[in-house]
Amino acid sequence: MGTNGGTAIVLGGGGVLGAVQAGMLRALLEFGVQPDLVVGTSVGALNGAVLAALPRDEVADRLEALWLSPEAQSLFAAGTVRRLRTLAHSGVAAHSPEPLRRAASTVLGGWRIEDLPVRFTCCAASIEDAAEHWFEHGPAVDAVLASAAVPGLLPPAVVEGRHYLDGGLVNSIPLGRAVELGAERVFVLHVGRVDQPLRPPRRPWEVGLVAFEIARRHRYARDLAAVPGGVEVHVLPAGEGGAPRWDSRAALRYRATTASADRIDAAYRASKDYLRSCLGTGGRR
């Protein structure tokens, strides 16, 4: 199924750093960029589904309100005792998926993917198939929860009897999927983490984090290098302060949403400057 050309917006994963995508989207919409296709992974699936579902003039305000809301702050807000209880109960996850479901439902309501005003697809890792799975139909909220089921933090999501983990395990910044679906112009919204240099692990818990970063960056770099010559790709900047310097301690502070407002603003300003340089004058804010 192709898009017959057109513009795609690709939104990558990144946990609480996904707030930067709200700023990027505000800049894109102010410059008149209207997607024909939205492709997302993990938190990018949540932000992307909102983009695909809502009227253009509501998207940025609703996303900012979502990221600054008590619902967003409560996603991973449980204390140590509660996290241990949740882990003991589930056996596989430190947090319940219900706060994320409530936050997503607040904005997406009962939308089904096939009925969204803008074509949308998101990626999750299928456990039974050991492969990436693309949701293109069914309840949007269920697809978002499957795409964002971070291993160890949230339990595997169950959709139609199948089990899924976070799409970042298989395709964290799904540029290649947008190209496969026929997009001729692609705007990539990653959270800035892929620009941060890695260093060899020094602690046991750093091994898995570094390995995951290598895998996600390698896939994206390969997809970027393989973009056909006729496809125009724009990679939006996260801005100064958008993504903190990567290290294992920062990666483990996955619950910190206090910087969301600053991240949104930094990404908005940096993306607006970038778009002005490549698309010409524009913007209202």
Side-chain angles (χ1 to χ4, degrees):
M1 295 189 303
T3 64
N4 297 318
T7 295
I9 294 181
V10 170
L11 302 98
V16 297
L17 297 180
V20 304
Q21 293 173 349
M24 294 171 174
L25 285 172
R26 181 179 291 279
L28 278 171
L29 294 171
E30 288 184 357
F31 273 81
V33 175
Q34 182 64 38
D36 303 292
L37 169 69
V38 177
V39 185
T41 293
S42 195
V43 72
L46 172 60
N47 291 334
V50 174
L51 172 63
L54 298 185
R56 173 182 164 184
D57 59 356
E58 295 181 17
V59 169
D61 287 343
R62 292 291 295 276
L63 271 178
E64 287 191 17
L66 175 63
W67 276 99
L68 301 178
S69 69
E71 288 80 8
Q73 296 170 15
S74 70
L75 292 181
F76 300 115
T80 302
V81 173
R82 186 172 178 181
R83 294 200 303 274
L84 291 174
R85 287 176 178 170
T86 302
L87 180 60
H89 177 72
S90 73
V92 295
H95 297 277
S96 166
E98 290 311 307
L100 177 57
R101 179 176 290 277
R102 288 194 296 269
S105 298
T106 297
V107 185
L108 297 174
W111 275 108
R112 293 182 64 85
I113 294 174
E114 60 267 32
D115 297 328
L116 290 169
V118 178
R119 185 181 179 190
F120 170 76
T121 183
C122 68
C123 179
S126 169
I127 293 178
E128 284 85 358
D129 297 329
E132 64 184 49
H133 174 86
W134 292 95
F135 286 94
E136 297 191 338
H137 61 83
V141 170
D142 288 351
V144 166
L145 262 67
S147 187
V150 182
L153 300 186
L154 296 172
V158 183
V159 182
E160 297 182 352
R162 311 288 285 181
H163 298 78
Y164 300 94
L165 287 172
D166 192 290
L169 293 171
V170 288
N171 204 334
S172 186
I173 305 173
L175 166 62
R177 182 62 172 176
V179 174
E180 288 174 3
L181 293 176
E184 295 177 345
R185 182 173 69 158
V186 183
F187 291 89
V188 177
L189 283 59
H190 66 72
V191 300
R193 205 163 68 191
V194 295
D195 296 329
Q196 304 291 334
L198 292 178
R199 68 180 187 184
R202 300 177 181 178
R203 300 287 187 271
W205 61 84
E206 293 181 336
V207 176
L209 293 171
V210 172
F212 176 72
E213 280 297 310
I214 291 172
R216 70 191 298 269
R217 297 183 191 196
H218 168 76
R219 174 69 183 266
Y220 171 60
R222 187 185 68 183
D223 286 352
L224 189 60
V227 172
V231 178
E232 177 185 342
V233 176
H234 297 277
V235 180
L236 269 61
E240 290 294 327
R245 186 177 67 85
W246 193 93
D247 59 34
S248 63
R249 290 173 298 177
L252 290 171
R253 290 195 293 271
Y254 62 89
R255 296 182 294 148
T257 59
T258 53
S260 290
D262 291 338
R263 288 173 179 149
I264 291 170
D265 187 62
Y268 167 75
R269 295 180 184 280
S271 295
K272 187 174 180 179
D273 288 344
Y274 170 83
L275 293 169
R276 184 181 293 114
S277 70
C278 65
L279 301 183
T281 59
R284 299 187 301 272
R285 182 173 168 181

